Amino acid sequence: TWAESFIFAGSSALLFHIANLFPIYWYFSFIALIPFLYRTTKATPNESLRLGILFGFSFFMISASSAIPTSLLLFIIKSLLGTGIFTLFTWAVVYINNRYGFKPVLVSLLWTGLEMTLFKLGFAIGFLPEAVIAHPFFHGLVVLFGFVTVSAIIVLLNSLLVLVITNHLLKKRPYGKAV
């Protein structure tokens, strides 16, 4: 299941990097979390740690690579710290899913806390705002309300799409004997 978890976590990290590195693809941020959040809807607490480690590792190894020319130690610290924080976020999302069901608003609030923590620790401005600032509408929202509000909106939309997908799959799943 490590490979399956890596497919979901790695595809989300790849979509984030595409949205952040190529501003013309800013709209990828609206679907970037869907594979990862879909997997967390079915994950156990042990798998949540695996998902968080895989996503954090695959995202922060590229994201923190700008620190390599300055200091290798800084690169290692940023990568490990970012991976640890994201692992904690993933565990919290899975815990809430198992206890209360999938709640998009709670996922959005947890993500906002994650981004604020990363910002306070010196990780640029987080995951999502780097991508969407390229669009004039979202740039205006960032100026008016701050990057955390835009991140909360984007994660809420990702979470709502996951909720729609999971509900649609439950309705289409055959109940009975399968041949």
Side-chain angles (χ1 to χ4, degrees):
T1 60
W2 275 90
E4 190 176 320
S5 296
F6 181 71
I7 289 172
F8 285 98
S11 62
S12 285
L14 178 67
L15 289 171
F16 272 126
H17 281 301
I18 289 172
N20 285 330
L21 295 175
F22 305 105
I24 195 166
Y25 299 116
W26 60 270
Y27 51 86
F28 277 22
S29 60
F30 287 98
I31 59 169
L33 270 179
I34 291 175
F36 178 76
L37 288 177
Y38 177 74
R39 186 66 181 168
T40 60
T41 60
K42 300 178 183 179
T44 63
N46 289 337
E47 188 177 2
S48 71
L49 297 176
R50 183 173 48 237
L51 278 169
I53 289 169
L54 289 172
F55 182 89
F57 189 75
S58 58
F59 183 82
F60 287 110
M61 285 309 232
I62 295 171
S63 165
S65 64
S66 63
I68 290 177
T70 308
S71 169
L72 184 61
L73 181 63
L74 180 63
F75 166 73
I76 292 170
I77 290 171
K78 275 189 160 189
S79 298
L80 291 177
L81 194 61
T83 301
I85 291 169
F86 203 83
T87 303
L88 183 64
F89 163 78
T90 308
W91 180 83
V93 168
V94 170
Y95 177 77
I96 289 172
N97 286 348
N98 291 340
R99 189 159 172 108
Y100 304 110
F102 188 72
K103 305 288 185 201
V105 174
L106 292 177
V107 172
S108 181
L109 289 173
L110 283 172
W111 185 271
T112 304
L114 169 78
E115 289 225 344
M116 288 300 292
T117 304
L118 289 175
F119 178 69
K120 295 291 183 185
L121 292 174
F123 285 93
I125 57 172
F127 292 104
L128 298 172
E130 293 177 14
V132 297
I133 286 178
H135 193 272
F137 175 73
F138 291 108
H139 179 71
L141 282 178
V142 168
V143 169
L144 286 174
F145 302 109
F147 71 89
V148 175
T149 306
V150 174
S151 291
I153 291 169
I154 292 173
V155 172
L156 183 64
L157 288 174
N158 274 286
S159 301
L160 288 172
L161 285 172
V162 168
L163 190 63
V164 166
I165 290 168
T166 55
N167 287 341
H168 181 71
L169 288 177
L170 285 176
K171 288 181 183 175
K172 294 292 182 183
R173 186 174 295 152
Y175 295 103
K177 291 187 176 182
V179 178

